[in-house]
Amino acid sequence: MKGKLRPSQHQRLRLLACRPRRYGKGDQEIPGLLKKGFIEPIGASSADGSREWAITDAGRIALHDHTGDDAL
């Protein structure tokens, strides 16, 4: 994994590991997680600019490496 996850990134990946979620276009964690390949957009953007996001396999691996949680 490239570097450690910040607590806010870890929390975001934990939420996305449960199910895809919608976040606004101004969300500060999305660009960094997207750049690392840990999340991907699914579906189209809404009129308000929000978009639904899902965790990728790389994101699950990063989350597992960070937590050591075999349940992911």
Side-chain angles (χ1 to χ4, degrees), residues 5-58:
L5 293 173
R6 293 191 317 269
S8 57
Q9 291 175 322
H10 172 250
Q11 179 63 22
R12 184 59 49 85
L13 288 179
R14 291 282 301 175
L15 290 170
L16 289 168
C18 296
R19 66 175 173 82
R21 295 180 184 266
R22 184 167 294 281
Y23 292 101
K25 67 178 180 178
D27 186 277
Q28 296 181 1
E29 294 303 329
I30 295 297
L33 292 171
L34 180 62
K35 185 176 179 180
K36 291 179 180 183
F38 294 164
I39 61 171
E40 62 186 359
I42 57 175
S45 295
S46 295
D48 65 0
S50 66
R51 188 166 212 174
E52 195 168 19
W53 297 87
I55 192 169
T56 62
D57 289 341

Side-chain angles (χ1 to χ4, degrees), residues 52-69:
E52 195 168 19
W53 297 87
I55 192 169
T56 62
D57 289 341
R60 289 188 188 282
I61 292 168
L63 186 57
H64 178 269
D65 288 350
H66 184 77
T67 62
D69 188 350

